[in-house]
Amino acid sequence: MFAKLFKIAVASAVAVGVMGTPLPQSNKLAARWMSFDNWGGFSSMNGFDNFYGAENFCGHIQSQTIIEQQQEVVCHSQSIEIIQQRLLVLQEMAKRIISEQICEVETQTIVFEQFYSSLGDFSGDLSRKSGRHVGYDSNIVSHFGSLQNSDGSLSSNDLGFSGSDCGSSTIVPSGSNWSDESSPISVGNAYNAAQSAITSFPSSS
Ligand SMILES: *[C@@H]1O[C@H](CO)[C@@H](O)[C@H](O)[C@H]1NC(C)=O
């Protein structure tokens, strides 16, 4: 078992402004070392650990390097349905990749749990409890259009990055109405309201 410190690097590629407040350190320091390379003897699990590292199943241990843009990225609110449509596209695309590009059901399961857990970390970012900024890796996002070939089939070329690269080109949009005074409570209330609305299906447990 390793306990690694999760540090946040802040670098400014373009000095156009002063970065905001200093970052709190994360509490989520410990990770379980668990190798899934060739898990269960499945050849489709060969090299699984190379992506994030064996002690980093869900990509928790990740540093963020903030890159500043010539032109600041600012959030612009859209109507909720527009947002929900786009997130559903991402969700169904993830299902498509897992069900079309993996045939072994055990590998489908492990890869999905990795994805779900890694995405779930964003919850701690939104509540400002993780120590990470609320943003995204612009280099990873730039591959969005490369998931499909021109005929609509799924692409299978190497996109040229590893899981551990995620965070190294982070963009943090400004303009959210987060307030250190009131938002911890109001965001906590919002989180609890959402959690209480999440019903679990018997088949999903
Ligand atoms: C953020 O916006 C919402 C909706 O207008 C408002 O209820 C909330 O108080 C705002 N938060 C802050 C910190 O201004």
Side-chain angles (χ1 to χ4, degrees), residues 177-180 182-183 186:
N177 75 344
W178 175 268
S179 145
D180 285 341
S182 60
S183 299
S186 62

Side-chain angles (χ1 to χ4, degrees), residues 56-76:
N56 192 22
F57 178 76
C58 34
H60 285 326
I61 306 167
Q62 215 78 296
S63 63
Q64 275 184 325
T65 302
I66 312 292
I67 52 165
E68 283 195 58
Q69 304 301 103
Q70 294 283 7
Q71 190 127 34
E72 198 179 11
V73 179
V74 184
C75 62
H76 296 284

Side-chain angles (χ1 to χ4, degrees), residues 88-195:
L88 190 55
V89 170
L90 296 177
Q91 173 188 306
E92 295 306 304
M93 185 54 117
K95 293 183 191 174
R96 183 180 180 195
I97 290 168
I98 289 170
S99 58
E100 279 190 23
Q101 296 194 307
I102 305 171
C103 300
E104 283 162 318
V105 293
E106 296 82 359
T107 302
Q108 290 178 338
T109 299
I110 292 171
V111 164
F112 176 70
E113 292 307 318
Q114 178 175 59
F115 168 70
Y116 190 61
S117 159
S118 174
L119 181 59
D121 274 354
F122 192 55
S123 178
D125 302 353
L126 292 172
S127 62
R128 273 67 172 177
K129 288 177 180 163
S130 67
R132 286 187 303 261
H133 286 285
V134 174
Y136 58 90
D137 189 288
S138 58
N139 180 42
I140 307 286
V141 164
S142 73
H143 296 284
F144 182 73
S146 310
L147 301 184
Q148 282 182 308
N149 299 313
S150 50
D151 66 357
S153 59
L154 289 177
S155 67
S156 56
N157 58 308
D158 183 352
L159 298 175
F161 60 83
S162 181
S164 49
D165 296 325
C166 189
S168 61
S169 303
T170 299
I171 288 181
V172 180
S174 60
S176 86
N177 75 344
W178 175 268
S179 145
D180 285 341
E181 281 150 46
S182 60
S183 299
I185 289 172
S186 62
V187 164
N189 290 340
Y191 177 84
N192 290 335
Q195 287 300 313

Side-chain angles (χ1 to χ4, degrees), residues 32-40 45 48-49 53-55 57:
R32 176 168 300 158
W33 191 91
M34 197 163 165
S35 173
F36 281 90
D37 263 2
N38 295 306
W39 185 88
M45 291 295 290
F48 180 94
D49 294 345
E55 77 289 6
F57 178 76

